[in-house]
Amino acid sequence: MANPTDYRSIAGALQYLTFTSSYIAYIVQQACLHMHDPREPHANLLKRILCYLEGTIDHGLQLHQTSPTSLTAYIGTDWPSCPDTRKSTSGYVVFLGNNLISWSSKHQQTVSHSSAEAEYRVVVNAVAKSY
């Protein structure tokens, strides 16, 4: 590249963006591996990242001022969803007023012996992550 300073500047700015947009952390890290000697394919990678970000600028969670500001959590579980491991899939969403502030969906780490136990585990997980 004729001017590697521009590459380093853009890659550095993208590194700061990964604090709030963690889903691009891997690809930005791959681009930063070449900061010492960037080439044209690396510059093209930065351009592709920037084009992706430009196309998704309106995506994301919107937070609006609402009333009331009560904290509400909804949970769900599928017991046992995996026939091999017998582990349940559980999920939760947490709202502050009308704003979605947290969510998760994953296999539970341990095997539950009943649907009630699986639901208890997801409630504990949702409460622990919400506060």
Side-chain angles (χ1 to χ4, degrees), residues 11 17-18 23 31 40-41 56 70 74 77 86-87 92 96 113 118 126:
L17 185 62
T18 62
Y23 57 91
E40 284 301 317
T56 60
S70 60
Y74 298 97
T77 186
R86 308 291 292 165
K87 292 183 179 177
Y92 66 86
L96 180 61
H113 297 289

Side-chain angles (χ1 to χ4, degrees), residues 68-89:
T69 56
S70 60
L71 192 63
T72 308
Y74 298 97
I75 60 121
T77 186
D78 183 14
W79 176 79
S81 60
C82 181
D84 297 328
T85 64
R86 308 291 292 165
K87 292 183 179 177
S88 302
T89 300

Side-chain angles (χ1 to χ4, degrees), residues 10-124:
I10 295 170
L14 287 172
Q15 278 183 313
Y16 281 108
L17 185 62
T18 62
F19 289 136
T20 58
S21 305
S22 60
Y23 57 91
I24 62 167
Y26 176 77
I27 195 66
V28 170
Q29 183 264 338
Q30 293 298 310
C32 290
L33 290 175
H34 305 284
M35 288 177 83
H36 65 284
D37 187 25
R39 306 291 172 128
E40 284 301 317
H42 308 129
N44 291 338
L45 175 62
L46 284 185
K47 289 177 187 176
R48 289 182 64 195
I49 295 170
L50 292 172
C51 286
Y52 170 78
L53 291 172
E54 182 182 25
T56 60
I57 198 88
D58 294 332
H59 297 186
L61 299 176
Q62 302 292 322
L63 297 178
H64 304 283
Q65 185 175 359
T66 62
S67 181
T69 56
S70 60
L71 192 63
T72 308
Y74 298 97
I75 60 121
T77 186
D78 183 14
W79 176 79
S81 60
C82 181
D84 297 328
T85 64
R86 308 291 292 165
K87 292 183 179 177
S88 302
T89 300
S90 60
Y92 66 86
V93 293
V94 180
F95 290 89
L96 180 61
N98 294 329
N99 297 308
L100 176 66
I101 59 171
S102 179
W103 66 274
S104 175
S105 177
K106 61 183 177 180
H107 282 291
Q108 291 182 353
Q109 293 180 358
T110 58
V111 176
S112 298
H113 297 289
S114 67
S115 60
E117 183 181 350
E119 289 182 11
Y120 174 75
R121 289 183 191 279
V122 72
V123 167
V124 169

